[in-house]
Amino acid sequence: MKLKTVSWKKLQETLPASGKQLIAQQTADTVVVYQAYSSAIARYAVDHQVFGGNAYSYDRMSWIKPNFLWMMYRCGWAAKEGQERVLAVHLPKIFFEKILSQAVPSSYKPWLFPEKEAWQAALQAGDVRLQWDPDHDPWGNKLERRAIQLGLRGDILKEFGQRQIVAIEDITGFVKEQYAVLQRDPDALQVPEESVYPLEDPVLCTTIDLR
């Protein structure tokens, strides 16, 4: 597994406890996002290192999440139907920031769009949808910190799925192993090592409402 891991308890000591936070596992050039799929979609993605095949559709919105535990909350630690396989998708930071630059919030923000009609038009026309949701602890409890998720469709989804991926790895085994650890000894839980993403472009910060 390419992911670097750390104890969950240790990780919490290094992350902000509240506020909107862009948090992810990253290197100098890449960032990791997570998705959960059926076995058919995941198998094709891992074998071909792109998304495609008969089970995958580019005609629907696909959501990416940089926060591992948010993904675990959403997929039930790989137990929910159609989300039995968890993938770690490694992307170039340049492309990730391109996604951020096209983001439109899924709910109306008057400080970003003074006119509601302008927001509705942007939401209808845009290929990237943004949501800030409560982050979660390993048991699914809401935290004060907010986590980002990004919905992709249209051209940006095709660029994501077919041309920009550095690597796709199936981390389902790790997910199931750590869920078992969580049940018997939570203090021993290991999670991917994550840190605050250093987004310094003020225009991008405004676009994603990072305040």
Side-chain angles (χ1 to χ4, degrees):
M1 191 172 72
K2 294 182 176 68
L3 291 180
K4 295 180 180 179
T5 62
V6 65
S7 81
W8 176 71
K9 289 187 68 176
K10 183 177 180 180
L11 180 64
Q12 297 317 296
E13 297 172 358
T14 69
L15 297 179
S18 62
K20 293 176 179 176
Q21 303 293 341
L22 192 56
I23 293 171
Q25 177 151 145
Q26 55 197 295
T27 68
D29 302 312
T30 64
V31 63
V32 176
V33 298
Y34 301 99
Q35 296 192 295
Y37 284 113
S38 66
S39 292
I41 291 175
R43 189 180 306 113
Y44 183 98
V46 172
D47 288 347
H48 296 83
Q49 292 295 292
V50 295
F51 286 101
N54 295 332
Y56 188 87
S57 173
Y58 278 101
D59 295 327
R60 57 179 296 181
M61 183 163 280
S62 182
W63 291 84
I64 59 175
K65 304 167 180 65
N67 293 64
F68 175 77
L69 285 177
W70 207 107
M71 185 73 258
M72 295 305 96
Y73 165 74
R74 184 67 182 84
C75 72
W77 290 85
K80 292 185 178 179
E81 184 178 357
Q83 300 185 64
E84 302 93 347
R85 301 275 291 275
V86 180
L87 304 180
V89 183
H90 299 250
L91 296 174
K93 281 186 170 179
I94 291 174
F95 179 64
F96 181 66
E97 293 185 14
K98 178 180 178 179
I99 293 171
L100 296 179
S101 73
Q102 297 184 22
V104 178
S106 59
S107 58
Y108 178 54
K109 310 294 183 185
W111 54 90
L112 294 176
F113 293 88
E115 297 179 357
K116 194 169 186 178
E117 292 76 13
W119 163 71
Q120 290 174 328
L123 192 66
Q124 185 70 22
D127 282 345
V128 180
R129 191 164 297 179
L130 176 151
Q131 288 183 194
W132 285 105
D133 298 292
D135 206 349
H136 291 76
D137 70 14
W139 298 271
N141 300 309
K142 291 182 181 180
L143 303 177
E144 291 295 319
R145 186 172 63 231
R146 308 288 284 189
I148 198 171
Q149 62 169 329
L150 297 153
L152 313 181
R153 66 183 177 188
D155 290 342
I156 198 79
L157 177 59
K158 291 177 182 176
E159 186 176 1
F160 163 78
Q162 298 175 349
R163 297 188 294 279
Q164 289 286 350
I165 292 170
V166 175
I168 303 174
E169 55 179 332
D170 187 339
I171 60 167
T172 308
F174 170 75
V175 167
K176 292 184 176 295
E177 174 189 83
Q178 293 307 310
Y179 183 68
V181 171
L182 181 63
Q183 308 311 305
R184 66 175 185 265
D185 184 9
D187 288 344
L189 178 66
Q190 294 283 308
V191 296
E193 186 176 54
E194 297 175 346
S195 58
V196 175
Y197 190 98
L199 193 62
E200 298 175 355
D201 184 336
V203 175
L204 273 185
C205 290
T206 299
T207 298
I208 68 170
D209 193 26
L210 187 62
R211 299 183 297 160

